[in-house]
């Protein structure tokens, strides 16, 4: 029993050894790489085995490079990822080509060798116009965002507002004198009173002096 089990395992291992190279040989040693174009700027590529046309099940190790037609700009190297929109043989890039015409080359190194090239044009996509919804029955709305336009005042309303402003100005009380004017008036009164006092004092002093002088003169006349 043990001999039969060992013999069966040996035969199965030998069968796998022969089947695996046969399957690999059926696919071939090279890949067919076809650059199909672009989708929204993403480079799209189909990769299959060149011998039988089967899709590649393994992860593809590839580089994508792009050069503008005038040679002034280069993009890449980028890698390829699975393209769900073109399964099972579709691959694409996560990066996006700018608008313009590009010479795209895709080189695959695993699981086998393959290369593809194509001139790809990426158009300029205009932004979608924004539609502004205007309401009816209100005021006029602007074309860009539905914002109500402000109407200009009519002559009647302007004259009415002017008359109201004039009446308000007439009804408002006159402004009270400022503190600076009151201070200046009080200072002027103080100066006037000071000047008057000095004049009165001077006159009184002059009168007293005259009286004292007359008394001295009278005393001198009596003694003589």
């Amino acid at each position: 029993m043990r001999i039969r089990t060992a013999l069966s395992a040996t035969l199965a291992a030998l069968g796998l050894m022969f089947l695996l190279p046969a399957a690999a040989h059926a696919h071939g040693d090279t890949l067919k790489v076809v650059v199909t174009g672009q989708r929204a700027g993403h480079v799209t590529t189909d990769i299959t085995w060149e011998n039988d046309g089967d899709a590649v099940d393994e992860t593809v190790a590839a580089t994508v490079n792009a050069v503008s037609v005038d040679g002034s700009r280069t993009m890449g190297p980028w890698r390829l990822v699975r393209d769900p929109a073109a399964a099972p043989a579709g691959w694409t890039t996560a990066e996006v080509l700018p608008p313009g015409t590009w010479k795209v080359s895709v080189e695959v190194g695993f699981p086998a060798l393959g290369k593809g090239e194509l001139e790809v044009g990426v158009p300029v996509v205009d932004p979608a116009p924004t539609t502004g919804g205007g309401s009816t029955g209100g005021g006029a709305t602007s074309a860009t965002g539905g914002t109500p336009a402000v109407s200009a005042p009519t002559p009647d309303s302007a004259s009415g507002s002017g008359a109201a402003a004039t009446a308000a100005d007439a009804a408002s009380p006159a402004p009270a004198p400022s503190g600076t004017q009151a201070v200046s008036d009080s200072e002027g009164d103080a100066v006037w009173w000071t000047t008057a006092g000095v004049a009165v004092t001077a006159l009184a002093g002059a009168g007293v002096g005259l009286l004292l002088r007359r008394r001295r003169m009278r005393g001198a006349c009596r003694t003589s």
Side-chain angles (χ1 to χ4, degrees), residues 70-159:
D70 58 358
S72 61
R73 295 182 294 170
T74 59
M75 304 297 293
W78 299 333
R79 67 185 187 92
L80 288 177
V81 295
R82 292 277 185 182
D83 187 2
W91 297 78
T92 186
T93 59
E95 296 80 7
V96 178
L97 283 174
T101 304
W102 302 86
K103 295 179 181 179
V104 179
S105 62
V106 178
E107 296 184 3
V108 182
F110 181 85
L113 299 179
K115 183 177 181 180
E117 295 179 345
L118 183 69
E119 188 172 291
V120 177
V122 181
V124 178
V125 180
D126 295 331
T130 57
T131 57
S135 60
T136 59
T141 58
S142 60
T144 56
T147 305
V150 180
S151 59
T154 60
D156 295 338
S157 62
S159 60

